[in-house]
Amino acid sequence: MSFEELKLTRQFLNAIEEAGYENPTPIQAMAIPPLRSGQDVIGIAQTGTGKTAAFLLPLLQTLKYAQGDAPRALILAPTKELVLQIHHEAMQFASYTDLRCIPLYGGVGPKAQAQAVKTGVDLLIATPGRFIEIYHMGIFEPKKIKHLVLDEADRMMDMGFMPQLRQIQEIIPSKRQNVLFSATFPHRVERLADEFLLWPTRIEASPESTPVETVEQFRVSLANQRTKLSFIEWLIRERLMEKRLLIFARKKDDAENVARYLQRTFEFEVRSIHSNKGQNARINAMDDFRSGAVQVLVSTDIASRGIDVPETEMVINFSVPRDPHDYVHRIGRTGRAFRHGEAITLEDPSERYARERIESLTGQLMKEITPPSTLKEVVTPKEEKQLQAREIDREMKKRDPLYQGAFHERKKKSKSSSKKSSKKSSGKKR
Ligand code: AMP
């Protein structure tokens, strides 16, 4: 199928050609016709499938040209990064029209954004909180909003945006077209869809939660974080010296440590993004990663939304995410839009269970690889060993609520034998 067959007008066909897209992706071929005809649509599609263009193209074509001052469409997304990413694509597709698209997001003062809205807008792309904040300033009339898109709905639910979404539902007209895109479709997204959409057409890019087929998945067992760092160093020297890499860590501190270690070890530029970094630092890191100035980006899960760098060759999971859906999102950052990508997950003894949960969600096994014999194995520090034992206990308890963990038992014993000393050591830990 071609874009012409999807009945897109010349202005958009030109912009698509300039973006270098030859043919529509499956989700675009499926979503564009019902969206053009004004239907409500639920799209289940991961990042990397071309979902953004799937909802943007028909929406922009419906809006057609600049009209009045008030917004006629609203796209909501969970994070600033994603808002900017969607805005970037919208500007690209609207380049042969006079449509005005404005991004609204937090982390910076609302004044400049409010001013931009005042001068007239057709499409708002916003995080829910900032949209409400700007609405309360009373500078635009929401009654003209006839199209609502909820992007990455599963993440919006995870981040607790339901109250804001309900508030927005009250503000905008009830007669409107609704679109909901989500990588996964758990119960809470289903409930959201029930509240917001009317007789939606449901389309799915690939079976739910199956990571994009172009990504090859590997795993390697390593004793501890220090060994994981040595492994990454080896992997880069061995075969990734010139390659764009995205590394995920579960915790901010870990992301920071990995970035620092690699920056010390290699000449190329390494950057980290997580919720402690200022918005500007995050945006700059992302821009520099996109341009290639930064070769390795280390990120936590929240900060990763909206990272869209098709050249990413490999995703390395420094730690296994506890929520298997996060894994799907993480590896969706490589192998985007038909390109081949690889993901490798580094697993310490306590992370086996989380990895098994991922494999049962995706229905795919990660191929196990053995670390090189030359890899320096460092003894696991006591504190890390305890954390691992605690994690294993947590997992075992989840499987069997009556399970008496080895870690807790030890803790109990030491508490009764010497209250003072255990107090001291737990105080030290934090
Ligand atoms: P998304 O799934 O919207 O995050 O998009 C993933 C990537 O695919 C982005 O880099 C897009 O620019 C790219 N892309 C979207 N549609 C197409 C297409 N039809 N052909 C080639 N690349 C595309």
Side-chain angles (χ1 to χ4, degrees):
M1 182 171 271
S2 66
F3 281 109
E4 278 86 359
E5 284 171 272
L6 291 173
K7 302 212 171 75
L8 294 171
T9 53
R10 187 41 49 202
Q11 293 127 303
F12 296 104
L13 292 175
N14 287 345
I16 288 166
E17 205 180 310
E18 266 174 31
Y21 302 176
E22 282 170 17
N23 289 307
T25 63
I27 199 80
Q28 289 161 3
M30 286 187 276
I32 293 177
L35 285 174
R36 264 191 39 246
S37 69
Q39 291 173 41
D40 277 12
V41 167
I42 292 177
I44 302 166
Q46 296 141 24
T47 46
T49 53
K51 67 178 173 80
T52 317
F55 64 74
L56 272 178
L57 287 165
L59 180 63
L60 293 168
Q61 181 155 309
T62 306
L63 297 176
K64 224 163 165 176
Y65 46 77
Q67 226 176 300
D69 287 337
R72 290 174 291 141
L74 170 64
I75 297 173
L76 294 171
T79 62
K80 171 178 185 168
E81 284 79 10
L82 189 58
V83 162
L84 288 171
Q85 175 61 37
I86 299 168
H87 179 251
H88 175 78
E89 255 183 80
M91 295 295 281
Q92 191 176 3
F93 294 137
S95 59
Y96 287 89
T97 72
D98 60 351
L99 285 167
R100 299 151 301 172
C101 312
I102 296 180
L104 306 178
Y105 48 84
V108 290
K111 254 195 182 157
Q113 292 169 10
Q115 195 52 41
V117 173
K118 245 189 201 166
T119 60
V121 55
D122 301 291
L123 167 64
L124 286 177
I125 304 159
T127 51
R130 180 48 65 95
F131 173 80
I132 293 170
E133 192 182 345
I134 303 257
Y135 164 73
H136 282 309
M137 293 165 94
I139 46 168
F140 71 88
E141 169 56 61
K143 293 286 172 262
K144 291 259 161 62
I145 296 178
K146 293 291 165 61
H147 307 270
L148 175 70
V149 179
L150 304 171
D151 192 21
E152 300 208 349
D154 47 354
R155 186 51 102 171
M156 284 208 264
M157 293 295 94
D158 292 347
M159 291 168 76
F161 278 135
M162 195 63 199
Q164 285 93 327
L165 295 181
R166 289 206 171 110
Q167 233 175 311
I168 293 171
Q169 158 114 301
E170 305 266 296
I171 296 171
I172 61 178
S174 55
K175 227 178 136 198
R176 54 169 202 262
Q177 182 186 31
N178 297 291
V179 187
L180 181 151
F181 267 86
S182 196
T184 56
F185 206 67
H187 269 316
R188 46 192 193 287
V189 177
E190 210 172 318
R191 276 202 303 274
L192 174 76
D194 283 346
E195 269 188 51
F196 277 71
L197 284 77
L198 197 64
W199 312 116
T201 304
R202 185 176 157 136
I203 54 176
E204 213 165 316
S206 53
E208 194 173 329
S209 300
T210 305
V212 266
E213 272 156 16
T214 47
V215 180
E216 245 187 299
Q217 303 171 57
F218 300 95
R219 69 179 165 93
V220 56
S221 296
L222 299 162
N224 49 48
Q225 299 209 341
R226 190 63 187 68
T227 315
K228 286 181 177 185
L229 286 174
S230 307
F231 178 81
I232 295 177
E233 181 182 341
W234 169 81
L235 191 65
I236 293 177
R237 285 196 201 287
E238 208 48 30
R239 48 172 293 221
L240 299 167
M241 267 325 258
E242 307 282 310
K243 305 282 165 69
R244 212 89 57 88
L245 288 186
L246 192 50
I247 303 180
F248 283 103
R250 203 167 65 198
K251 299 184 195 137
K252 285 180 263 214
D253 289 352
D254 295 344
E256 203 53 42
N257 287 340
V258 174
R260 231 177 281 144
Y261 179 84
L262 294 178
Q263 191 62 90
R264 265 203 318 266
T265 312
F266 293 102
E267 296 278 303
F268 53 69
E269 186 73 20
V270 181
R271 213 70 74 69
S272 69
I273 51 172
H274 48 71
S275 55
N276 272 11
K277 293 258 161 153
Q279 295 282 4
N280 281 340
R282 279 158 74 173
I283 290 186
N284 290 343
M286 207 94 82
D287 281 348
D288 292 346
F289 186 54
R290 214 170 271 144
S291 75
V294 164
Q295 195 182 320
V296 176
L297 190 64
V298 190
S299 173
T300 54
D301 287 298
I302 288 286
S304 80
R305 293 275 149 164
I307 297 177
D308 174 25
V309 181
E311 294 80 9
T312 307
E313 299 263 348
M314 187 185 263
V315 167
I316 299 178
N317 292 312
F318 180 74
S319 34
V320 183
R322 278 188 185 155
D323 181 345
H325 296 109
D326 280 336
Y327 176 83
V328 176
H329 285 296
R330 287 181 182 188
I331 75 160
R333 304 290 145 190
T334 180
R336 298 167 78 84
F338 316 123
R339 279 177 214 243
H340 172 83
E342 288 179 324
I344 180 161
T345 300
L346 316 189
E347 165 187 320
D348 76 23
S350 71
E351 293 177 307
R352 194 186 98 202
Y353 309 94
R355 187 253 306 158
E356 286 172 354
R357 269 202 305 280
I358 293 167
E359 290 177 330
S360 75
L361 175 88
T362 61
Q364 293 174 16
L365 293 180
M366 304 175 203
K367 285 179 220 150
E368 183 167 14
I369 52 175
T370 38
S373 53
T374 50
L375 193 74
K376 267 190 289 177
E377 267 254 8
V378 187
V379 180
T380 310
K382 200 170 148 212
E383 195 171 320
E384 192 178 348
K385 219 175 194 151
Q386 273 184 348
L387 286 174
Q388 289 184 4
R390 203 179 291 160
E391 181 70 17
I392 292 172
D393 279 2
R394 217 179 59 89
E395 291 286 353
M396 297 304 278
K397 273 229 173 79
K398 239 198 251 168
R399 292 174 184 211
D400 172 12
L402 298 175
Y403 172 81
Q404 289 287 322
F407 176 74
H408 293 287
E409 242 161 42
R410 244 203 330 272
K411 207 169 140 196
K412 251 189 249 154
K413 261 186 213 156
S414 67
K415 246 189 188 170
S416 55
S417 63
S418 146
K419 257 185 181 170
K420 251 187 190 168
S421 73
S422 90
K423 238 185 193 170
K424 244 187 197 168
S425 69
S426 68
K428 240 187 223 165
K429 244 183 275 158
R430 284 287 109 201

Coordinates of all heavy atoms in Angstrom, one line a residue, residues 229 232-237 241 260-270 296:
L229 N 29.5 -3.5 34.7 CA 30.2 -2.4 34.1 C 31.3 -2.9 33.3 O 31.5 -2.4 32.1 CB 30.7 -1.4 35.2 CG 29.7 -0.5 35.9 CD1 30.3 0.3 37.0 CD2 29.0 0.4 34.9
I232 N 30.0 -4.2 30.0 CA 29.6 -3.2 29.0 C 30.9 -2.6 28.4 O 31.0 -2.4 27.2 CB 28.8 -2.0 29.7 CG1 27.5 -2.6 30.2 CG2 28.6 -0.9 28.7 CD1 26.6 -1.6 30.9
E233 N 31.9 -2.4 29.2 CA 33.2 -1.9 28.7 C 33.7 -2.8 27.6 O 34.1 -2.4 26.5 CB 34.2 -1.7 29.8 CG 35.5 -1.1 29.3 CD 36.5 -1.0 30.5 OE1 36.2 -1.0 31.6 OE2 37.7 -0.9 30.1
W234 N 33.7 -4.1 28.0 CA 34.2 -5.1 27.0 C 33.4 -5.1 25.7 O 34.0 -5.1 24.6 CB 34.2 -6.5 27.7 CG 34.4 -7.6 26.7 CD1 35.6 -8.1 26.2 CD2 33.4 -8.4 26.0 NE1 35.4 -9.1 25.3 CE2 34.1 -9.3 25.2 CE3 32.0 -8.4 26.1 CZ2 33.4 -10.2 24.4 CZ3 31.3 -9.3 25.3 CH2 32.0 -10.2 24.4
L235 N 32.1 -5.1 25.9 CA 31.2 -5.1 24.7 C 31.4 -3.9 23.8 O 31.5 -4.1 22.6 CB 29.7 -5.1 25.2 CG 28.7 -5.4 24.2 CD1 28.8 -6.8 23.7 CD2 27.3 -5.2 24.8
I236 N 31.6 -2.8 24.4 CA 31.8 -1.6 23.6 C 33.2 -1.7 22.8 O 33.2 -1.5 21.6 CB 31.8 -0.3 24.4 CG1 30.4 -0.1 25.0 CG2 32.2 0.9 23.6 CD1 30.2 1.1 25.9
R237 N 34.2 -2.1 23.5 CA 35.5 -2.2 22.9 C 35.5 -3.3 21.8 O 36.1 -3.1 20.7 CB 36.6 -2.7 23.9 CG 37.0 -1.5 24.8 CD 38.3 -1.9 25.6 NE 38.4 -1.1 26.8 CZ 38.7 0.2 26.8 NH1 38.9 0.8 25.6 NH2 38.8 0.9 27.9
M241 N 32.3 0.4 19.2 CA 33.1 1.6 19.4 C 32.4 2.8 18.7 O 32.4 3.9 19.3 CB 34.5 1.4 18.9 CG 35.5 1.0 19.9 SD 35.2 1.7 21.6 CE 36.5 3.0 21.6
R260 N 29.0 7.8 34.5 CA 30.3 8.3 35.0 C 31.4 7.3 34.7 O 32.4 7.7 34.2 CB 30.2 8.5 36.5 CG 30.7 9.9 36.9 CD 30.5 10.2 38.3 NE 29.2 10.6 38.7 CZ 28.6 10.3 39.8 NH1 29.3 9.5 40.7 NH2 27.4 10.6 40.1
Y261 N 31.1 6.1 34.9 CA 32.1 5.0 34.6 C 32.5 5.1 33.1 O 33.7 5.1 32.8 CB 31.6 3.6 35.0 CG 32.5 2.5 34.7 CD1 33.5 2.2 35.6 CD2 32.5 1.8 33.5 CE1 34.4 1.1 35.4 CE2 33.3 0.7 33.2 CZ 34.3 0.4 34.2 OH 35.2 -0.6 33.9
L262 N 31.5 5.1 32.2 CA 31.8 5.1 30.8 C 32.5 6.3 30.3 O 33.4 6.3 29.5 CB 30.5 4.8 30.0 CG 29.9 3.5 30.2 CD1 28.6 3.3 29.4 CD2 30.8 2.3 29.9
Q263 N 32.1 7.5 30.9 CA 32.7 8.7 30.6 C 34.2 8.7 30.9 O 35.1 9.3 30.2 CB 32.0 9.9 31.2 CG 32.4 11.2 30.6 CD 32.1 11.4 29.1 OE1 31.0 11.8 28.7 NE2 33.0 11.0 28.3
R264 N 34.5 8.1 32.1 CA 35.9 8.0 32.6 C 36.7 7.1 31.7 O 37.9 7.3 31.4 CB 35.9 7.4 34.0 CG 36.0 8.4 35.1 CD 36.6 7.8 36.4 NE 36.1 6.5 36.7 CZ 35.1 6.2 37.5 NH1 34.4 7.2 38.0 NH2 34.7 5.0 37.7
T265 N 36.0 6.0 31.1 CA 36.7 5.0 30.4 C 37.0 5.3 29.0 O 38.0 4.9 28.4 CB 35.9 3.7 30.5 OG1 35.6 3.5 31.9 CG2 36.7 2.5 30.1
F266 N 36.0 6.0 28.3 CA 36.0 6.2 26.9 C 36.2 7.7 26.5 O 35.8 8.5 27.3 CB 34.8 5.6 26.2 CG 34.7 4.1 26.3 CD1 33.9 3.5 27.2 CD2 35.5 3.3 25.5 CE1 33.8 2.1 27.3 CE2 35.4 1.9 25.6 CZ 34.6 1.3 26.5
E267 N 36.6 7.9 25.3 CA 36.8 9.3 24.8 C 35.4 9.9 24.4 O 35.3 11.1 24.5 CB 37.6 9.2 23.5 CG 39.1 8.7 23.7 CD 40.0 9.8 24.2 OE1 40.0 10.9 23.6 OE2 40.6 9.7 25.3
F268 N 34.5 9.0 23.9 CA 33.3 9.6 23.3 C 32.4 10.2 24.4 O 32.6 9.9 25.6 CB 32.5 8.6 22.5 CG 32.3 7.3 23.2 CD1 31.4 7.2 24.2 CD2 32.9 6.1 22.7 CE1 31.1 6.0 24.9 CE2 32.7 4.9 23.4 CZ 31.8 4.8 24.4
E269 N 31.4 10.9 24.0 CA 30.5 11.6 24.9 C 29.4 10.7 25.5 O 28.7 10.0 24.7 CB 29.9 12.8 24.2 CG 29.1 13.8 25.0 CD 29.9 14.7 25.9 OE1 31.1 14.8 25.7 OE2 29.3 15.2 26.9
V270 N 29.3 10.8 26.8 CA 28.2 10.0 27.5 C 27.4 10.9 28.3 O 27.9 11.8 28.9 CB 28.9 8.9 28.4 CG1 27.8 8.1 29.1 CG2 29.9 8.1 27.7
V296 N 26.5 7.7 23.8 CA 25.9 6.8 24.7 C 25.0 7.6 25.7 O 25.4 8.5 26.3 CB 26.9 6.0 25.6 CG1 26.2 5.1 26.6 CG2 27.8 5.1 24.7

